[in-house]
Amino acid sequence: MINPDFAIILNFNPTGANVNADALVRRARDIGARAVSGREELKAACEKYTIAYLPDQAGQHYKADDVVDALLAARKAGQALVVDVDGEDEADQATLDALNAWMHKFGHAVNEGQESDLSADAAEAFVLTNRHAPYQAYLFLKAPYPAEVKVTGLTEAPNRIEWLDGREECEFVFENGVLTVQLKKQESPFAWQLVRIQGHRPEDDIAETKF
């Protein structure tokens, strides 16, 4: 069974006889991939950089403009995206660059997100819940998104709602089990943006200690 924290698996298929395993696995780590597959020469580098080695993963090549859409479609379905990478192919490198840029901002949400009981009414929007901190949920929005979005499935009002990139707070109202979030337009090169819905945390129940 694939670890659910593997949002991306890079399937390296270098064509040369000599493989720079360190360089390949470092690239995967820097992008935010937590697993790679491919030739057995990669195993030692995976141990060195604390990345899982998975043999025989079936993937495909993605264009740079399509790879984030493919990644989020996979995460919405509870799956990992397997990306084939052949050596120094320019198209593959452009795809990795696109992944790197987006994952730098939002990688932890896709790696740690799992299917959520929450749903949103905006076109193409969906929600994942943090498997390690279930009081956090991530609302995925693709531009152009509306001025407000309604989220259902919550049992109580959240403590805070914010854009993940920049941490700007969003105004919201919670009435009759419906969360209405106001969405200001974000200046960003990325079509997909994330909003974090922060619920009641266990540490909120810890009483203040005075000495």
Side-chain angles (χ1 to χ4, degrees):
M1 178 180 178
I2 292 177
N3 184 318
D5 284 355
F6 297 161
I8 301 169
I9 301 168
L10 296 186
N11 184 38
F12 289 115
N13 295 293
T15 54
N18 297 319
V19 177
N20 188 339
D22 265 35
L24 294 178
V25 175
R26 270 201 316 272
R27 185 79 193 278
R29 177 202 62 185
D30 293 345
I31 287 171
R34 296 179 178 178
V36 303
S37 62
R39 290 161 57 165
E40 290 200 3
E41 293 97 316
L42 299 170
K43 277 186 177 180
C46 286
E47 293 178 3
K48 179 178 179 180
Y49 294 107
T50 320
I51 290 180
Y53 172 77
L54 305 173
D56 301 327
Q57 296 297 306
Q60 67 181 75
H61 295 273
Y62 293 92
K63 295 180 179 179
D65 292 341
D66 301 330
V67 68
V68 173
D69 283 344
L71 169 62
L72 298 188
R75 293 315 275 166
K76 184 177 180 180
Q79 300 171 356
L81 185 73
V82 184
V83 181
D84 284 345
V85 182
D86 292 343
E88 295 299 319
D89 180 82
E90 289 186 8
D92 286 348
Q93 295 307 312
T95 296
L96 295 184
D97 289 343
L99 269 180
N100 182 57
W102 194 87
M103 290 288 287
H104 180 71
K105 296 287 186 181
F106 309 114
H108 71 277
V110 291
N111 275 320
E112 298 169 10
Q114 65 179 354
E115 185 179 0
S116 178
D117 293 331
L118 309 185
S119 59
D121 68 348
E124 299 195 63
F126 67 97
V127 183
L128 297 180
T129 294
N130 187 321
R131 75 182 70 256
H132 306 296
Y135 49 83
Q136 285 187 352
Y138 303 104
L139 171 61
F140 291 73
L141 296 160
K142 188 175 184 181
Y145 42 79
E148 68 175 34
V149 60
K150 295 185 184 298
V151 178
T152 54
L154 289 165
T155 58
E156 60 182 359
N159 289 347
R160 176 184 173 93
I161 298 178
E162 64 185 9
W163 292 97
L164 207 58
D165 185 13
R167 305 292 179 86
E168 180 185 358
E169 287 196 57
C170 300
E171 296 182 2
F172 66 90
V173 174
F174 183 71
E175 291 180 342
N176 300 320
V178 178
L179 174 68
T180 303
V181 183
Q182 302 301 316
L183 302 173
K184 291 183 180 179
K185 184 177 180 181
Q186 300 295 297
E187 296 299 328
S188 172
F190 303 118
W192 283 96
Q193 292 287 322
L194 272 71
V195 170
R196 174 165 39 211
I197 301 171
Q198 178 85 39
H200 182 80
R201 303 170 300 170
E203 53 264 41
D204 294 333
D205 295 327
I206 300 175
E208 182 181 358
T209 301
K210 296 182 179 181
F211 296 95

PDB file of all heavy atoms in Angstrom, residues 157-191:
ATOM      1  N   ALA A 157     -18.110  26.753  14.306  1.00  0.00           N
ATOM      2  CA  ALA A 157     -17.397  27.798  13.592  1.00  0.00           C
ATOM      3  C   ALA A 157     -15.886  27.615  13.740  1.00  0.00           C
ATOM      4  O   ALA A 157     -15.403  27.237  14.814  1.00  0.00           O
ATOM      5  CB  ALA A 157     -17.808  29.167  14.115  1.00  0.00           C
ATOM      6  N   PRO A 158     -15.123  27.871  12.696  1.00  0.00           N
ATOM      7  CA  PRO A 158     -13.668  27.794  12.817  1.00  0.00           C
ATOM      8  C   PRO A 158     -13.113  28.960  13.620  1.00  0.00           C
ATOM      9  O   PRO A 158     -13.793  29.976  13.814  1.00  0.00           O
ATOM     10  CB  PRO A 158     -13.196  27.848  11.360  1.00  0.00           C
ATOM     11  CG  PRO A 158     -14.285  28.551  10.632  1.00  0.00           C
ATOM     12  CD  PRO A 158     -15.563  28.187  11.337  1.00  0.00           C
ATOM     13  N   ASN A 159     -11.875  28.786  14.088  1.00  0.00           N
ATOM     14  CA  ASN A 159     -11.210  29.870  14.812  1.00  0.00           C
ATOM     15  C   ASN A 159     -10.622  30.915  13.871  1.00  0.00           C
ATOM     16  O   ASN A 159     -10.581  32.105  14.204  1.00  0.00           O
ATOM     17  CB  ASN A 159     -10.073  29.312  15.679  1.00  0.00           C
ATOM     18  CG  ASN A 159     -10.591  28.533  16.868  1.00  0.00           C
ATOM     19  OD1 ASN A 159     -11.779  28.599  17.193  1.00  0.00           O
ATOM     20  ND2 ASN A 159      -9.726  27.787  17.520  1.00  0.00           N
ATOM     21  N   ARG A 160     -10.138  30.452  12.724  1.00  0.00           N
ATOM     22  CA  ARG A 160      -9.432  31.353  11.818  1.00  0.00           C
ATOM     23  C   ARG A 160      -9.463  30.758  10.412  1.00  0.00           C
ATOM     24  O   ARG A 160      -9.408  29.543  10.239  1.00  0.00           O
ATOM     25  CB  ARG A 160      -7.974  31.516  12.287  1.00  0.00           C
ATOM     26  CG  ARG A 160      -7.069  32.348  11.390  1.00  0.00           C
ATOM     27  CD  ARG A 160      -5.637  32.331  11.931  1.00  0.00           C
ATOM     28  NE  ARG A 160      -4.702  32.969  11.014  1.00  0.00           N
ATOM     29  CZ  ARG A 160      -4.356  34.239  11.058  1.00  0.00           C
ATOM     30  NH1 ARG A 160      -4.873  35.032  11.995  1.00  0.00           N
ATOM     31  NH2 ARG A 160      -3.475  34.758  10.202  1.00  0.00           N
ATOM     32  N   ILE A 161      -9.552  31.637   9.422  1.00  0.00           N
ATOM     33  CA  ILE A 161      -9.464  31.220   8.031  1.00  0.00           C
ATOM     34  C   ILE A 161      -8.479  32.154   7.344  1.00  0.00           C
ATOM     35  O   ILE A 161      -8.555  33.377   7.500  1.00  0.00           O
ATOM     36  CB  ILE A 161     -10.834  31.267   7.329  1.00  0.00           C
ATOM     37  CG1 ILE A 161     -11.815  30.302   8.018  1.00  0.00           C
ATOM     38  CG2 ILE A 161     -10.705  30.917   5.851  1.00  0.00           C
ATOM     39  CD1 ILE A 161     -13.201  30.307   7.429  1.00  0.00           C
ATOM     40  N   GLU A 162      -7.538  31.581   6.581  1.00  0.00           N
ATOM     41  CA  GLU A 162      -6.507  32.403   5.966  1.00  0.00           C
ATOM     42  C   GLU A 162      -6.041  31.798   4.652  1.00  0.00           C
ATOM     43  O   GLU A 162      -6.108  30.585   4.449  1.00  0.00           O
ATOM     44  CB  GLU A 162      -5.302  32.548   6.909  1.00  0.00           C
ATOM     45  CG  GLU A 162      -4.600  31.232   7.205  1.00  0.00           C
ATOM     46  CD  GLU A 162      -3.496  31.355   8.237  1.00  0.00           C
ATOM     47  OE1 GLU A 162      -3.376  32.425   8.859  1.00  0.00           O
ATOM     48  OE2 GLU A 162      -2.754  30.359   8.416  1.00  0.00           O
ATOM     49  N   TRP A 163      -5.568  32.667   3.761  1.00  0.00           N
ATOM     50  CA  TRP A 163      -4.894  32.215   2.559  1.00  0.00           C
ATOM     51  C   TRP A 163      -3.581  31.562   2.980  1.00  0.00           C
ATOM     52  O   TRP A 163      -2.838  32.118   3.787  1.00  0.00           O
ATOM     53  CB  TRP A 163      -4.619  33.372   1.610  1.00  0.00           C
ATOM     54  CG  TRP A 163      -5.859  33.963   1.014  1.00  0.00           C
ATOM     55  CD1 TRP A 163      -6.537  35.067   1.451  1.00  0.00           C
ATOM     56  CD2 TRP A 163      -6.569  33.487  -0.133  1.00  0.00           C
ATOM     57  NE1 TRP A 163      -7.633  35.304   0.657  1.00  0.00           N
ATOM     58  CE2 TRP A 163      -7.670  34.355  -0.329  1.00  0.00           C
ATOM     59  CE3 TRP A 163      -6.385  32.422  -1.006  1.00  0.00           C
ATOM     60  CZ2 TRP A 163      -8.587  34.182  -1.362  1.00  0.00           C
ATOM     61  CZ3 TRP A 163      -7.285  32.247  -2.044  1.00  0.00           C
ATOM     62  CH2 TRP A 163      -8.372  33.117  -2.226  1.00  0.00           C
ATOM     63  N   LEU A 164      -3.285  30.414   2.417  1.00  0.00           N
ATOM     64  CA  LEU A 164      -2.068  29.713   2.824  1.00  0.00           C
ATOM     65  C   LEU A 164      -0.827  30.484   2.395  1.00  0.00           C
ATOM     66  O   LEU A 164       0.153  30.542   3.124  1.00  0.00           O
ATOM     67  CB  LEU A 164      -2.064  28.306   2.210  1.00  0.00           C
ATOM     68  CG  LEU A 164      -1.293  27.240   2.967  1.00  0.00           C
ATOM     69  CD1 LEU A 164      -1.821  27.085   4.385  1.00  0.00           C
ATOM     70  CD2 LEU A 164      -1.388  25.901   2.246  1.00  0.00           C
ATOM     71  N   ASP A 165      -0.857  31.074   1.222  1.00  0.00           N
ATOM     72  CA  ASP A 165       0.264  31.865   0.737  1.00  0.00           C
ATOM     73  C   ASP A 165       0.086  33.302   1.212  1.00  0.00           C
ATOM     74  O   ASP A 165      -0.777  34.023   0.728  1.00  0.00           O
ATOM     75  CB  ASP A 165       0.326  31.807  -0.791  1.00  0.00           C
ATOM     76  CG  ASP A 165       1.545  32.524  -1.342  1.00  0.00           C
ATOM     77  OD1 ASP A 165       2.461  32.852  -0.559  1.00  0.00           O
ATOM     78  OD2 ASP A 165       1.600  32.759  -2.569  1.00  0.00           O
ATOM     79  N   GLY A 166       0.871  33.719   2.187  1.00  0.00           N
ATOM     80  CA  GLY A 166       0.781  35.078   2.704  1.00  0.00           C
ATOM     81  C   GLY A 166       0.063  35.217   4.024  1.00  0.00           C
ATOM     82  O   GLY A 166       0.168  36.238   4.701  1.00  0.00           O
ATOM     83  N   ARG A 167      -0.713  34.191   4.410  1.00  0.00           N
ATOM     84  CA  ARG A 167      -1.399  34.148   5.704  1.00  0.00           C
ATOM     85  C   ARG A 167      -2.390  35.297   5.914  1.00  0.00           C
ATOM     86  O   ARG A 167      -2.698  35.641   7.048  1.00  0.00           O
ATOM     87  CB  ARG A 167      -0.371  34.148   6.859  1.00  0.00           C
ATOM     88  CG  ARG A 167       0.665  33.035   6.775  1.00  0.00           C
ATOM     89  CD  ARG A 167       0.031  31.683   6.987  1.00  0.00           C
ATOM     90  NE  ARG A 167       0.977  30.602   6.892  1.00  0.00           N
ATOM     91  CZ  ARG A 167       1.725  30.150   7.895  1.00  0.00           C
ATOM     92  NH1 ARG A 167       1.641  30.719   9.087  1.00  0.00           N
ATOM     93  NH2 ARG A 167       2.549  29.149   7.714  1.00  0.00           N
ATOM     94  N   GLU A 168      -2.890  35.886   4.837  1.00  0.00           N
ATOM     95  CA  GLU A 168      -3.903  36.928   4.992  1.00  0.00           C
ATOM     96  C   GLU A 168      -5.211  36.294   5.431  1.00  0.00           C
ATOM     97  O   GLU A 168      -5.674  35.322   4.838  1.00  0.00           O
ATOM     98  CB  GLU A 168      -4.099  37.676   3.677  1.00  0.00           C
ATOM     99  CG  GLU A 168      -5.153  38.773   3.765  1.00  0.00           C
ATOM    100  CD  GLU A 168      -5.432  39.437   2.423  1.00  0.00           C
ATOM    101  OE1 GLU A 168      -4.783  39.059   1.432  1.00  0.00           O
ATOM    102  OE2 GLU A 168      -6.309  40.324   2.381  1.00  0.00           O
ATOM    103  N   GLU A 169      -5.828  36.875   6.486  1.00  0.00           N
ATOM    104  CA  GLU A 169      -7.083  36.316   7.000  1.00  0.00           C
ATOM    105  C   GLU A 169      -8.243  36.602   6.056  1.00  0.00           C
ATOM    106  O   GLU A 169      -8.276  37.626   5.378  1.00  0.00           O
ATOM    107  CB  GLU A 169      -7.389  36.890   8.386  1.00  0.00           C
ATOM    108  CG  GLU A 169      -6.504  36.342   9.482  1.00  0.00           C
ATOM    109  CD  GLU A 169      -7.069  36.617  10.861  1.00  0.00           C
ATOM    110  OE1 GLU A 169      -8.215  36.203  11.131  1.00  0.00           O
ATOM    111  OE2 GLU A 169      -6.365  37.248  11.664  1.00  0.00           O
ATOM    112  N   CYS A 170      -9.190  35.683   6.046  1.00  0.00           N
ATOM    113  CA  CYS A 170     -10.428  35.838   5.279  1.00  0.00           C
ATOM    114  C   CYS A 170     -11.582  36.109   6.236  1.00  0.00           C
ATOM    115  O   CYS A 170     -11.688  35.471   7.294  1.00  0.00           O
ATOM    116  CB  CYS A 170     -10.734  34.568   4.484  1.00  0.00           C
ATOM    117  SG  CYS A 170      -9.473  34.072   3.299  1.00  0.00           S
ATOM    118  N   GLU A 171     -12.444  37.012   5.861  1.00  0.00           N
ATOM    119  CA  GLU A 171     -13.666  37.214   6.631  1.00  0.00           C
ATOM    120  C   GLU A 171     -14.615  36.049   6.380  1.00  0.00           C
ATOM    121  O   GLU A 171     -14.665  35.506   5.272  1.00  0.00           O
ATOM    122  CB  GLU A 171     -14.328  38.529   6.239  1.00  0.00           C
ATOM    123  CG  GLU A 171     -13.495  39.758   6.569  1.00  0.00           C
ATOM    124  CD  GLU A 171     -14.203  41.040   6.208  1.00  0.00           C
ATOM    125  OE1 GLU A 171     -15.372  40.969   5.738  1.00  0.00           O
ATOM    126  OE2 GLU A 171     -13.608  42.116   6.374  1.00  0.00           O
ATOM    127  N   PHE A 172     -15.365  35.670   7.415  1.00  0.00           N
ATOM    128  CA  PHE A 172     -16.277  34.539   7.250  1.00  0.00           C
ATOM    129  C   PHE A 172     -17.455  34.660   8.197  1.00  0.00           C
ATOM    130  O   PHE A 172     -17.399  35.366   9.219  1.00  0.00           O
ATOM    131  CB  PHE A 172     -15.550  33.209   7.475  1.00  0.00           C
ATOM    132  CG  PHE A 172     -15.062  32.989   8.891  1.00  0.00           C
ATOM    133  CD1 PHE A 172     -15.863  32.360   9.839  1.00  0.00           C
ATOM    134  CD2 PHE A 172     -13.792  33.405   9.264  1.00  0.00           C
ATOM    135  CE1 PHE A 172     -15.413  32.158  11.136  1.00  0.00           C
ATOM    136  CE2 PHE A 172     -13.330  33.203  10.562  1.00  0.00           C
ATOM    137  CZ  PHE A 172     -14.138  32.576  11.497  1.00  0.00           C
ATOM    138  N   VAL A 173     -18.519  33.940   7.854  1.00  0.00           N
ATOM    139  CA  VAL A 173     -19.712  33.837   8.693  1.00  0.00           C
ATOM    140  C   VAL A 173     -20.094  32.373   8.753  1.00  0.00           C
ATOM    141  O   VAL A 173     -20.054  31.664   7.738  1.00  0.00           O
ATOM    142  CB  VAL A 173     -20.881  34.669   8.110  1.00  0.00           C
ATOM    143  CG1 VAL A 173     -22.155  34.440   8.916  1.00  0.00           C
ATOM    144  CG2 VAL A 173     -20.525  36.145   8.065  1.00  0.00           C
ATOM    145  N   PHE A 174     -20.455  31.903   9.954  1.00  0.00           N
ATOM    146  CA  PHE A 174     -20.911  30.530  10.115  1.00  0.00           C
ATOM    147  C   PHE A 174     -22.329  30.559  10.667  1.00  0.00           C
ATOM    148  O   PHE A 174     -22.560  30.985  11.801  1.00  0.00           O
ATOM    149  CB  PHE A 174     -19.978  29.768  11.073  1.00  0.00           C
ATOM    150  CG  PHE A 174     -20.340  28.308  11.233  1.00  0.00           C
ATOM    151  CD1 PHE A 174     -20.132  27.410  10.199  1.00  0.00           C
ATOM    152  CD2 PHE A 174     -20.891  27.837  12.422  1.00  0.00           C
ATOM    153  CE1 PHE A 174     -20.463  26.073  10.335  1.00  0.00           C
ATOM    154  CE2 PHE A 174     -21.221  26.500  12.576  1.00  0.00           C
ATOM    155  CZ  PHE A 174     -21.006  25.614  11.534  1.00  0.00           C
ATOM    156  N   GLU A 175     -23.294  30.143   9.849  1.00  0.00           N
ATOM    157  CA  GLU A 175     -24.701  30.153  10.243  1.00  0.00           C
ATOM    158  C   GLU A 175     -25.395  28.895   9.737  1.00  0.00           C
ATOM    159  O   GLU A 175     -25.222  28.516   8.570  1.00  0.00           O
ATOM    160  CB  GLU A 175     -25.421  31.390   9.672  1.00  0.00           C
ATOM    161  CG  GLU A 175     -24.985  32.707  10.280  1.00  0.00           C
ATOM    162  CD  GLU A 175     -25.738  33.883   9.686  1.00  0.00           C
ATOM    163  OE1 GLU A 175     -26.332  33.742   8.591  1.00  0.00           O
ATOM    164  OE2 GLU A 175     -25.735  34.952  10.325  1.00  0.00           O
ATOM    165  N   ASN A 176     -26.163  28.279  10.626  1.00  0.00           N
ATOM    166  CA  ASN A 176     -26.969  27.108  10.251  1.00  0.00           C
ATOM    167  C   ASN A 176     -26.139  26.023   9.569  1.00  0.00           C
ATOM    168  O   ASN A 176     -26.580  25.390   8.603  1.00  0.00           O
ATOM    169  CB  ASN A 176     -28.128  27.536   9.348  1.00  0.00           C
ATOM    170  CG  ASN A 176     -29.050  28.536  10.014  1.00  0.00           C
ATOM    171  OD1 ASN A 176     -29.365  28.418  11.206  1.00  0.00           O
ATOM    172  ND2 ASN A 176     -29.474  29.534   9.262  1.00  0.00           N
ATOM    173  N   GLY A 177     -24.923  25.825  10.064  1.00  0.00           N
ATOM    174  CA  GLY A 177     -24.069  24.776   9.531  1.00  0.00           C
ATOM    175  C   GLY A 177     -23.387  25.101   8.221  1.00  0.00           C
ATOM    176  O   GLY A 177     -22.727  24.239   7.632  1.00  0.00           O
ATOM    177  N   VAL A 178     -23.526  26.331   7.768  1.00  0.00           N
ATOM    178  CA  VAL A 178     -22.901  26.737   6.505  1.00  0.00           C
ATOM    179  C   VAL A 178     -21.846  27.801   6.789  1.00  0.00           C
ATOM    180  O   VAL A 178     -22.125  28.823   7.418  1.00  0.00           O
ATOM    181  CB  VAL A 178     -23.938  27.280   5.507  1.00  0.00           C
ATOM    182  CG1 VAL A 178     -23.252  27.746   4.216  1.00  0.00           C
ATOM    183  CG2 VAL A 178     -24.987  26.223   5.197  1.00  0.00           C
ATOM    184  N   LEU A 179     -20.632  27.557   6.316  1.00  0.00           N
ATOM    185  CA  LEU A 179     -19.539  28.513   6.433  1.00  0.00           C
ATOM    186  C   LEU A 179     -19.439  29.296   5.131  1.00  0.00           C
ATOM    187  O   LEU A 179     -19.243  28.711   4.061  1.00  0.00           O
ATOM    188  CB  LEU A 179     -18.226  27.781   6.703  1.00  0.00           C
ATOM    189  CG  LEU A 179     -16.951  28.619   6.717  1.00  0.00           C
ATOM    190  CD1 LEU A 179     -16.945  29.562   7.915  1.00  0.00           C
ATOM    191  CD2 LEU A 179     -15.716  27.726   6.731  1.00  0.00           C
ATOM    192  N   THR A 180     -19.580  30.615   5.216  1.00  0.00           N
ATOM    193  CA  THR A 180     -19.440  31.473   4.042  1.00  0.00           C
ATOM    194  C   THR A 180     -18.150  32.265   4.181  1.00  0.00           C
ATOM    195  O   THR A 180     -17.981  33.027   5.134  1.00  0.00           O
ATOM    196  CB  THR A 180     -20.631  32.438   3.900  1.00  0.00           C
ATOM    197  OG1 THR A 180     -21.854  31.674   3.848  1.00  0.00           O
ATOM    198  CG2 THR A 180     -20.504  33.265   2.635  1.00  0.00           C
ATOM    199  N   VAL A 181     -17.234  32.057   3.236  1.00  0.00           N
ATOM    200  CA  VAL A 181     -15.911  32.676   3.281  1.00  0.00           C
ATOM    201  C   VAL A 181     -15.800  33.713   2.172  1.00  0.00           C
ATOM    202  O   VAL A 181     -16.118  33.435   1.012  1.00  0.00           O
ATOM    203  CB  VAL A 181     -14.798  31.611   3.095  1.00  0.00           C
ATOM    204  CG1 VAL A 181     -13.415  32.251   3.227  1.00  0.00           C
ATOM    205  CG2 VAL A 181     -14.960  30.479   4.090  1.00  0.00           C
ATOM    206  N   GLN A 182     -15.358  34.925   2.555  1.00  0.00           N
ATOM    207  CA  GLN A 182     -15.125  35.980   1.576  1.00  0.00           C
ATOM    208  C   GLN A 182     -13.727  35.802   0.975  1.00  0.00           C
ATOM    209  O   GLN A 182     -12.751  35.611   1.700  1.00  0.00           O
ATOM    210  CB  GLN A 182     -15.237  37.362   2.233  1.00  0.00           C
ATOM    211  CG  GLN A 182     -16.580  37.620   2.894  1.00  0.00           C
ATOM    212  CD  GLN A 182     -17.737  37.523   1.917  1.00  0.00           C
ATOM    213  OE1 GLN A 182     -17.660  38.044   0.808  1.00  0.00           O
ATOM    214  NE2 GLN A 182     -18.812  36.864   2.331  1.00  0.00           N
ATOM    215  N   LEU A 183     -13.649  35.871  -0.345  1.00  0.00           N
ATOM    216  CA  LEU A 183     -12.392  35.601  -1.044  1.00  0.00           C
ATOM    217  C   LEU A 183     -11.935  36.849  -1.795  1.00  0.00           C
ATOM    218  O   LEU A 183     -12.529  37.232  -2.803  1.00  0.00           O
ATOM    219  CB  LEU A 183     -12.566  34.453  -2.045  1.00  0.00           C
ATOM    220  CG  LEU A 183     -13.044  33.117  -1.467  1.00  0.00           C
ATOM    221  CD1 LEU A 183     -13.337  32.144  -2.600  1.00  0.00           C
ATOM    222  CD2 LEU A 183     -11.989  32.537  -0.522  1.00  0.00           C
ATOM    223  N   LYS A 184     -10.879  37.483  -1.299  1.00  0.00           N
ATOM    224  CA  LYS A 184     -10.280  38.592  -2.030  1.00  0.00           C
ATOM    225  C   LYS A 184      -9.394  38.033  -3.145  1.00  0.00           C
ATOM    226  O   LYS A 184      -8.770  36.994  -2.991  1.00  0.00           O
ATOM    227  CB  LYS A 184      -9.421  39.446  -1.096  1.00  0.00           C
ATOM    228  CG  LYS A 184     -10.200  40.227  -0.059  1.00  0.00           C
ATOM    229  CD  LYS A 184      -9.255  41.083   0.768  1.00  0.00           C
ATOM    230  CE  LYS A 184     -10.002  41.874   1.824  1.00  0.00           C
ATOM    231  NZ  LYS A 184      -9.075  42.685   2.656  1.00  0.00           N
ATOM    232  N   LYS A 185      -9.352  38.742  -4.261  1.00  0.00           N
ATOM    233  CA  LYS A 185      -8.506  38.304  -5.367  1.00  0.00           C
ATOM    234  C   LYS A 185      -7.046  38.337  -4.940  1.00  0.00           C
ATOM    235  O   LYS A 185      -6.578  39.307  -4.346  1.00  0.00           O
ATOM    236  CB  LYS A 185      -8.715  39.198  -6.583  1.00  0.00           C
ATOM    237  CG  LYS A 185      -7.928  38.738  -7.798  1.00  0.00           C
ATOM    238  CD  LYS A 185      -8.214  39.607  -9.011  1.00  0.00           C
ATOM    239  CE  LYS A 185      -7.412  39.135 -10.220  1.00  0.00           C
ATOM    240  NZ  LYS A 185      -7.659  39.982 -11.414  1.00  0.00           N
ATOM    241  N   GLN A 186      -6.340  37.260  -5.221  1.00  0.00           N
ATOM    242  CA  GLN A 186      -4.930  37.142  -4.857  1.00  0.00           C
ATOM    243  C   GLN A 186      -4.054  37.356  -6.090  1.00  0.00           C
ATOM    244  O   GLN A 186      -4.308  36.787  -7.152  1.00  0.00           O
ATOM    245  CB  GLN A 186      -4.647  35.755  -4.263  1.00  0.00           C
ATOM    246  CG  GLN A 186      -5.452  35.444  -3.012  1.00  0.00           C
ATOM    247  CD  GLN A 186      -5.099  36.355  -1.860  1.00  0.00           C
ATOM    248  OE1 GLN A 186      -3.978  36.360  -1.367  1.00  0.00           O
ATOM    249  NE2 GLN A 186      -6.086  37.128  -1.414  1.00  0.00           N
ATOM    250  N   GLU A 187      -3.032  38.190  -5.934  1.00  0.00           N
ATOM    251  CA  GLU A 187      -2.067  38.380  -7.018  1.00  0.00           C
ATOM    252  C   GLU A 187      -1.058  37.244  -6.933  1.00  0.00           C
ATOM    253  O   GLU A 187      -0.254  37.187  -6.007  1.00  0.00           O
ATOM    254  CB  GLU A 187      -1.378  39.740  -6.879  1.00  0.00           C
ATOM    255  CG  GLU A 187      -2.313  40.929  -7.012  1.00  0.00           C
ATOM    256  CD  GLU A 187      -3.008  40.986  -8.362  1.00  0.00           C
ATOM    257  OE1 GLU A 187      -2.389  40.548  -9.356  1.00  0.00           O
ATOM    258  OE2 GLU A 187      -4.152  41.440  -8.432  1.00  0.00           O
ATOM    259  N   SER A 188      -1.122  36.335  -7.877  1.00  0.00           N
ATOM    260  CA  SER A 188      -0.289  35.138  -7.807  1.00  0.00           C
ATOM    261  C   SER A 188      -0.099  34.563  -9.204  1.00  0.00           C
ATOM    262  O   SER A 188      -0.997  34.652 -10.050  1.00  0.00           O
ATOM    263  CB  SER A 188      -0.951  34.085  -6.909  1.00  0.00           C
ATOM    264  OG  SER A 188      -0.248  32.859  -6.969  1.00  0.00           O
ATOM    265  N   PRO A 189       1.062  33.965  -9.473  1.00  0.00           N
ATOM    266  CA  PRO A 189       1.261  33.295 -10.762  1.00  0.00           C
ATOM    267  C   PRO A 189       0.572  31.936 -10.834  1.00  0.00           C
ATOM    268  O   PRO A 189       0.545  31.316 -11.902  1.00  0.00           O
ATOM    269  CB  PRO A 189       2.785  33.131 -10.831  1.00  0.00           C
ATOM    270  CG  PRO A 189       3.209  33.030  -9.400  1.00  0.00           C
ATOM    271  CD  PRO A 189       2.281  33.948  -8.646  1.00  0.00           C
ATOM    272  N   PHE A 190       0.013  31.470  -9.713  1.00  0.00           N
ATOM    273  CA  PHE A 190      -0.555  30.130  -9.659  1.00  0.00           C
ATOM    274  C   PHE A 190      -2.067  30.169  -9.814  1.00  0.00           C
ATOM    275  O   PHE A 190      -2.761  30.938  -9.146  1.00  0.00           O
ATOM    276  CB  PHE A 190      -0.213  29.454  -8.325  1.00  0.00           C
ATOM    277  CG  PHE A 190       1.265  29.385  -8.050  1.00  0.00           C
ATOM    278  CD1 PHE A 190       1.809  30.026  -6.956  1.00  0.00           C
ATOM    279  CD2 PHE A 190       2.109  28.675  -8.895  1.00  0.00           C
ATOM    280  CE1 PHE A 190       3.168  29.971  -6.704  1.00  0.00           C
ATOM    281  CE2 PHE A 190       3.468  28.600  -8.649  1.00  0.00           C
ATOM    282  CZ  PHE A 190       4.000  29.257  -7.553  1.00  0.00           C
ATOM    283  N   ALA A 191      -2.575  29.298 -10.690  1.00  0.00           N
ATOM    284  CA  ALA A 191      -4.021  29.205 -10.869  1.00  0.00           C
ATOM    285  C   ALA A 191      -4.678  28.620  -9.628  1.00  0.00           C
ATOM    286  O   ALA A 191      -5.768  29.044  -9.227  1.00  0.00           O
ATOM    287  CB  ALA A 191      -4.349  28.350 -12.091  1.00  0.00           C
TER     288      ALA A 191
END
